[in-house]
Each structure stands twice: as C-alpha cells, then as structure tokens.
Amino acid sequence: MTVGLKLVMLLLLLLSCWQLTSSKEGKSTKKGKKGKQVVCPSQLSPEDLAQVPANSTSNILNRLMVSYDPRIRPNFQGIPVESRVNIFINSFGSIQETTMDYRVNIFLRQRWNDPRLRLPTDFKSEALTVDPNMFQCLWKPDLFFANEKNANFHDVTQDNILLFIFRNGDVLISMRLSVTLSCPLDLTLFPMDTQLCKMQLESFGYTTSDLVFMWQSDPVQMDEIALPQFDIKQEDIKYGNCTKYYQGTGHYTCVEVIFTLRRQVGFYMMGVYAPTLLIVVLSWLSFWINPDASAARVPLGILSVLSLSSESMSLASELPKVSYVKAIDIWLIACLLFGFSSLVEYAVVQVILNSPTLIEEEKVKMATKENILKEKEEKKSSNKTNNTVNGTGGTPLHINTLQVVETRKKVCTSKSDLRSSDFSIVGSLPRDFELSNFDCYGKPIEVTGGHKYQNKANNKPPPPKPVIPAAAKRIDLYARALFPFSFFFFNVVYWSVYL
C-alpha cells in the first residue's frame, strides 16, 4: 500500500510540474507576439562583433553602440538635453460632450542631440536610418501626455516607428500614436460655443535641469480636416509652455498646443431650434378656437408641452450633467413656459366661462341689446305705418285695398270656379288638389291662418346658444397679440446675446 501511494504522489508531482512549465511557455509566447527581444550591440560578445565585416554599416553602428549606455542621458551632469518636438495630425476625432474628451491620431516627432552617436568620418551619408527595433537600445526623453486618458502604439504591419541618426549626433524619432485626451468643456454658450482643447507633452522623470522640451519651427502640421460639428483651422492653433512644479520633486518641462474648435450650429438649428419654435407657434392656434371648444384646445396645449418636454429630455441625455445653465437650456425653458402659458390662459378662460355672475351679466347685456334692437325696429315700422296712412310714402291706401279685395275674389271654392278661359288644365288637376293653396288662376297663394302656426308647432325649437362672457373673448384677443410679441422680443434678446 505504501509503495502504491508513493507512486501516485510522484505522478501528481510530475503532472503539476508539467502544467507549470506549459503555462510559462504560453506566457513567453504571448510576450513574444507583443514585442521581439532585441539584442543591443553592447550585449554582443567580442566574437560576435568580430564576425561583422569591417567596412559595413553594421560595423559602424556596432562601434557607436558597443560602449553606449542607454541608462545615462546625454551630457550627464552637464547642460540639460534640449528635445525639440513636432506633431503632424493625421486625423482629429470629434469632441465627446458626455465624456469631455477627444481622440487624435498623430505622428509624434522628437529630435535631440546625443554626442555619443556622432557618425564617424568614414561614413559618407549625412544620416543613418536605423531599424525601429534599435529604439530600445537608445536613451530617449521620457515624454508623456499630461491630459491623456488612453493611448496606443500602432504595429500594423510593423511597429510604426521611424529612427534617424545624423552625422552631428542628432537623433530623430517619429512614431504613430492614437491618443484620447481630456478636454474640459465650458458649455455655457452651447451650441454656439467655442472650445479650447489642449495637448500637453510633459517629462515624467527628468526635471528641467536634465531635460527641456521646446517646439520646433512649425510645431503642428495638418492637412485640411473636416469635423462633423466643429471647425478647426491651422491659424487658430496656439502654442505655449506649461512647465509645472511638483512639491517635493521640482520643476518638470512641459509644452502644450491649444486647438480652437468652433461648433457648427446648423445641426441644432434644424434639429432643436426650428422644431421647438414651430411647436410654440402651434400652441398659439388655440387662441383662435372658440372658447367653449375645450375638446380642441386642451389636447393642443398638452401636446405642445409634452413635445417640448420630450425634446429637452432627449437633448439632456446627450450632454454632461453640469450644474450651470446652457444657452440651449434657456431656449427650451422659454419654449416650455410659452407652451405652459397657453394652457394657463385657457384655464383662465374656462374659469370665466363657468362663472355664474359673469354669465348672468352677459345675459343681461344680451337682453338689453335685444330690447334696444326691438325698440328700433318698432320705431321704424311705426314710422312706415304712419307714412302709409297719411299718404306720404309707401303704397297708397286705395291701391292697397283694391289689391286685397282682388286677391280675395280670386280665391276659389271649387274646381268649377276655375276660369277655363285662362287655363286648359282643369280636367288634369290631381285628386289631392287643395283649393285653399291656389287661386282661380292656378297660382299658389301663401298659407295663412292655422296651417302656418301648426307647422311652427311641429318643428322643435333650436337649442339655445351657449352664453360666452365678453371677458373670455377679450382674453383670447389679448393673447393673440401678447404671446407672439413676447416670443419675438425673447428671440431678439436671445440671439443678440448668444450669436
């Protein structure tokens, strides 16, 4: 039993050792994929150096690097190294308002002098192009982006690094980077704002006594760049020195470039300002609708307020939650107030419509007007009657009396009374022919007497019209002028301030 147990323990130990070695190999292969291990000339043995031909460029590079120590800066304990920086902007991403950052793709170029790398006199060219892998064998400034959030090198299809060594010992390094930089935004004038976004290049470990950054001539280069929301121009770029002091460590060199980005307002004009303006104007249509038509006026006002609220909420989700008021917030709040005021105006009108005292007053006014009109009509009719009786106007009395007598004579009592000398349709009259409706000449006469009153009794009286107080109509009349004028005045003040 003990022998079997020992064998099992030995097998488990071998299995664990095998797993450990396989995991280490996997990690080493992953590291190999990320970057190749570079052997610098200073690490080569004399036998390896002797195998290189004497007149070759490799031998010249080996002679330069065989005693080179990348851990020590040039001019050690002497004057500080001057690193001249230059940037070419390959692409510029739009600013993200929610995260307050922007992304750029740049070629970062640095040039400094290292006396240890002066080319020998037997080298005929003015510069030596070196494999990018030698980048790890050289001393280089410890530059970093002070306001960087995220950055990465590019290695498709090879490491995007360019390395030159000049005859006088100048070293030029150019590398392609994609950097996400923070840009604190001032959105007080949004969307008519202009943003200043910085890119700060600072030394991490070398103080100003060891390393100094400075801009080359023409520090930032770029082709014409088109951004979806902003305009950026070469002449608007500014440069500065941002050397910083950290208590306990000292002063550290820093240079910065400031991009001036002017926002284009066209998108927000078409997507926010124009729709909200039309919604506010739509809410004013209720002032021209009859005050008692609540089924039409209330939904119109509620629809306007809800549309403005949803527009402001959707816009707020795309912007950072800042504590101050933005220009577009003032516009949306004003539009909401105008839409809400139209609802309040109709609420006041509705209160007036349902006020018993105002309704009674209006009824009294209407009755008074009707009485006045009746009196005027009676006066006119009495004046006409007097004129007719006195023979001073209208139809003469004897002519009117003769016409009435003649009309009465023409009314027939039977079909036989019809004058056959004037009509040939006596035998073709319908059975339901009513003598009372026609005269003896076959012409219709007006129905008088009980028939007329009987027809009026059969018809139902129309429903009474609702009494609308004059105050309600007056409020709508004032609102038709007050609301558009107030909104126009607000627009004049708003656009004169923010444009």
Side-chain angles (χ1 to χ4, degrees):
M1 290 292 292
T2 56
V3 177
L5 184 61
K6 288 181 179 179
L7 289 175
V8 171
M9 293 293 292
L10 182 61
L11 289 174
L12 291 174
L13 182 62
L14 291 174
L15 181 61
S16 61
C17 291
W18 178 76
Q19 289 178 350
L20 183 62
T21 54
S22 62
S23 63
K24 286 183 178 180
E25 288 177 358
K27 291 180 180 179
S28 62
T29 54
K30 290 180 181 178
K31 290 181 180 178
K33 289 181 181 179
K34 289 183 179 180
K36 297 179 181 179
Q37 292 292 332
V38 179
V39 179
C40 298
S42 58
Q43 299 174 347
L44 296 176
S45 62
E47 291 80 9
D48 295 333
L49 294 173
Q51 294 178 1
V52 180
N55 296 328
S56 64
T57 306
S58 300
N59 186 36
I60 294 174
L61 185 60
N62 288 339
R63 281 187 289 167
L64 290 174
M65 302 292 297
V66 68
S67 60
Y68 187 89
D69 191 352
R71 298 172 297 176
I72 301 175
R73 72 169 180 88
N75 306 321
F76 183 67
Q77 294 183 347
I79 59 174
V81 179
E82 293 183 355
S83 178
R84 294 178 293 278
V85 184
N86 173 268
I87 293 174
F88 179 83
I89 299 178
N90 194 30
S91 64
F92 201 109
S94 184
I95 295 178
Q96 300 294 327
E97 285 84 4
T98 52
T99 55
M100 290 195 180
D101 56 29
Y102 67 100
R103 188 169 179 83
V104 289
N105 184 277
I106 62 172
F107 297 150
L108 175 62
R109 300 161 182 163
Q110 301 179 74
R111 184 165 180 164
W112 69 94
N113 184 266
D114 193 341
R116 297 171 293 179
L117 296 177
R118 290 176 181 170
L119 296 177
T121 55
D122 56 347
F123 187 75
K124 298 179 181 180
S125 299
E126 291 296 323
L128 175 62
T129 304
V130 185
D131 185 80
N133 293 325
M134 294 298 297
F135 176 74
Q136 302 178 13
C137 302
L138 299 177
W139 177 92
K140 44 199 170 294
D142 57 345
L143 181 146
F144 77 102
F145 294 90
N147 57 333
E148 171 253 327
K149 284 187 174 182
N150 188 18
N152 61 283
F153 290 95
H154 292 267
D155 55 359
V156 179
T157 57
Q158 292 290 330
D159 292 339
N160 296 169
I161 298 176
L162 177 67
L163 180 59
F164 283 130
I165 299 177
F166 294 90
R167 180 173 294 279
N168 62 347
D170 282 357
V171 180
L172 174 64
I173 290 180
S174 177
M175 58 185 69
R176 182 171 172 238
L177 305 172
S178 290
V179 190
T180 302
L181 302 170
S182 65
C183 179
L185 304 179
D186 183 10
L187 299 175
T188 305
L189 302 178
F190 179 87
M192 285 77 69
D193 56 334
T194 298
Q195 301 297 335
L196 300 177
C197 292
K198 297 181 179 181
M199 178 188 293
Q200 295 183 338
L201 290 73
E202 185 180 347
S203 172
F204 186 81
Y206 291 102
T207 61
T208 52
S209 59
D210 293 322
L211 179 63
V212 175
F213 288 141
M214 58 182 62
W215 290 112
Q216 284 186 3
S217 57
D218 195 10
V220 176
Q221 307 163 12
M222 66 177 181
D223 295 331
E224 186 176 355
I225 296 176
L227 299 179
Q229 290 191 35
F230 293 90
D231 288 329
I232 179 172
K233 297 180 180 179
Q234 180 77 40
E235 56 269 18
D236 294 334
I237 299 177
K238 300 177 182 179
Y239 312 98
N241 189 305
C242 56
T243 298
K244 301 176 182 178
Y245 173 75
Y246 298 96
Q247 189 175 1
T249 54
H251 293 83
Y252 290 85
T253 182
C254 175
V255 291
E256 65 180 2
V257 54
I258 303 173
F259 301 103
T260 303
L261 302 172
R262 292 181 174 85
R263 193 185 300 272
Q264 300 174 2
V265 197
F267 171 78
Y268 293 96
M269 284 290 184
M270 300 301 296
V272 177
Y273 286 99
T276 51
L277 186 144
L278 292 176
I279 292 171
V280 172
V281 174
L282 182 66
S283 67
W284 299 341
L285 296 180
S286 61
F287 304 148
W288 279 266
I289 300 176
N290 201 19
D292 60 343
S294 58
R297 293 187 65 163
V298 173
L300 188 61
I302 294 176
L303 178 64
S304 302
V305 173
L306 291 179
S307 300
L308 292 169
S309 301
S310 62
E311 182 69 27
S312 60
M313 292 297 292
S314 63
L315 185 64
S317 62
E318 300 175 0
L319 297 175
K321 297 175 177 61
V322 294
S323 57
Y324 51 85
V325 179
K326 303 180 285 294
I328 200 166
D329 294 337
I330 295 177
W331 173 267
L332 292 174
I333 290 171
C335 291
L336 273 171
L337 287 177
F338 275 97
F340 182 75
S341 300
S342 65
L343 274 176
V344 174
E345 186 269 348
Y346 183 65
V348 175
V349 170
Q350 197 67 17
V351 169
I352 294 174
L353 285 176
N354 297 324
S355 174
T357 56
L358 294 176
I359 291 174
E360 291 298 328
E361 290 177 1
E362 189 65 25
K363 286 181 179 180
V364 171
K365 290 180 182 179
M366 292 174 64
T368 306
K369 287 181 181 179
E370 288 179 359
N371 293 332
I372 294 172
L373 290 174
K374 285 181 180 179
E375 289 177 359
K376 288 182 179 180
E377 289 178 357
E378 288 176 357
K379 287 180 180 180
K380 288 181 181 180
S381 61
S382 63
N383 290 333
K384 288 182 180 180
T385 305
N386 293 332
N387 292 336
T388 303
V389 172
N390 295 328
T392 57
T395 306
L397 178 61
H398 64 279
I399 297 175
N400 192 18
T401 306
L402 291 174
Q403 286 181 351
V404 172
V405 174
E406 184 69 21
T407 304
R408 289 178 179 175
K409 288 181 179 180
K410 290 179 182 179
V411 177
C412 302
T413 58
S414 65
K415 294 181 182 180
S416 61
D417 293 340
L418 292 172
R419 297 182 180 181
S420 59
S421 60
D422 294 333
F423 292 93
S424 60
I425 59 170
V426 178
S428 61
L429 289 174
R431 293 181 180 179
D432 56 351
F433 179 78
E434 295 182 2
L435 295 174
S436 60
N437 294 336
F438 294 88
D439 60 8
C440 294
Y441 296 98
K443 295 181 180 181
I445 62 175
E446 293 183 0
V447 178
T448 59
H451 294 286
K452 188 173 182 179
Y453 293 106
Q454 186 176 1
N455 292 333
K456 287 184 178 180
N458 292 333
N459 295 330
K460 292 182 180 179
K465 293 183 179 180
V467 178
I468 300 176
K473 296 180 180 179
R474 197 180 307 117
I475 290 175
D476 278 345
L477 187 63
Y478 292 157
R480 294 173 191 174
L482 180 62
F483 275 72
F485 176 76
S486 302
F487 193 66
F488 175 76
F489 179 74
F490 165 74
N491 274 267
V492 171
V493 175
Y494 181 86
W495 294 113
S496 61
V497 170
Y498 289 107
L499 278 185

